[in-house]
């Protein structure tokens, strides 16, 4: 691991915490004293994602994390909650047992996670993901959430 501040490659682990599917480590750079966080997780086989336009690309955990954080991050309790959501979604995709998944499956899994965490985040994500065309679609999605 390289320090995010000075680029030094020697650090000591201050704290380790199991987060379920990964290990979170707080580190301190031995060169400059900067503290930073790293995550270690089990490497899994690559998943292919079939996009709406029929293109295929590899599942990218960081891309999903950026998308969730950018669209609804301010309605959640910081990066740790976004990380939890992404971890649950990733686990759900691997548990399907398929080597190819659709972007719709990923979006639906994100929506399921947001539904029980934050209503505003759910609606905001749904408005982009489902591409609402009018207020009626918005109201219908809100009704679905209330029924759950």
């Amino acid at each position: 691991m390289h320090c995010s501040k000075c680029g030094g490659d020697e650090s000591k682990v201050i704290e380790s915490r199991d987060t379920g599917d990964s290990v979170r480590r707080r580190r301190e750079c031995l060169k400059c004293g900067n503290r930073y966080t790293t995550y270690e997780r089990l490497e899994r086989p690559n998943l292919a994602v079939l996009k709406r336009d029929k293109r295929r690309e590899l599942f990218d955990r960081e891309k999903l994390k950026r998308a969730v954080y950018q669209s609804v991050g301010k309605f959640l309790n910081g990066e740790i909650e976004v990380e939890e959501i992404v971890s649950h979604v990733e686990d759900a995709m691997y548990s399907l047992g398929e080597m190819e998944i659709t972007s719709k499956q990923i979006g639906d899994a994100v929506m399921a996670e947001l539904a029980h965490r934050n209503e505003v985040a759910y609606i905001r994500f749904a408005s982009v993901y489902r591409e609402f065309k009018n207020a009626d679609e918005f109201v219908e999605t809100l009704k679905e959430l209330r029924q759950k």
Side-chain angles (χ1 to χ4, degrees):
M1 266 305 120
H2 294 283
C3 173
S4 57
K5 186 174 181 183
C6 74
D9 60 358
E10 292 191 34
S11 65
K12 68 179 179 180
V13 175
I14 299 170
E15 172 193 8
S16 290
R17 183 175 301 168
D18 184 8
T19 61
D21 69 329
S22 64
V23 177
R24 177 182 177 266
R25 299 196 194 281
R26 287 290 297 157
R27 297 180 178 270
E28 183 175 348
C29 177
L30 296 177
K31 186 175 178 182
C32 71
N34 180 45
R35 291 186 176 193
Y36 56 98
T37 302
T38 61
Y39 291 90
E40 296 175 17
R41 70 180 43 82
L42 181 65
E43 190 170 337
R44 297 176 175 176
N46 289 332
L47 287 175
V49 178
L50 181 61
K51 308 292 273 183
R52 288 181 187 175
D53 64 2
K54 305 297 183 208
R55 287 183 302 115
R56 283 180 174 76
E57 62 182 52
L58 291 177
F59 176 78
D60 184 348
R61 184 178 209 291
E62 290 304 312
K63 182 177 177 182
L64 177 59
K65 187 175 170 181
R66 283 190 308 271
V68 170
Y69 191 78
Q70 185 176 22
S71 62
V72 297
K74 66 183 172 184
F75 299 103
L76 302 172
N77 294 321
E79 288 185 37
I80 292 177
E81 191 170 12
V82 171
E83 181 69 33
E84 288 173 1
I85 290 169
V86 171
S87 291
H88 290 154
V89 169
E90 183 179 32
D91 289 345
M93 296 302 100
Y94 277 102
S95 71
L96 295 173
E98 302 290 328
M99 295 310 295
E100 184 173 276
I101 56 175
T102 64
S103 56
K104 181 181 182 334
Q105 289 171 302
I106 295 171
D108 290 345
V110 171
M111 297 262 301
E113 279 295 313
L114 292 174
H116 70 271
R117 290 176 184 264
N118 186 301
E119 289 181 348
V120 175
Y122 175 88
I123 294 297
R124 183 174 172 129
F125 187 85
S127 69
V128 174
Y129 171 62
R130 293 186 177 169
E131 299 175 341
F132 291 163
K133 303 283 188 271
N134 56 48
D136 292 336
E137 292 176 7
F138 181 87
V139 170
E140 187 61 35
T141 299
L142 190 54
K143 284 180 187 176
E144 288 173 17
L145 177 61
R146 296 289 178 170
Q147 289 173 356
K148 291 179 184 178

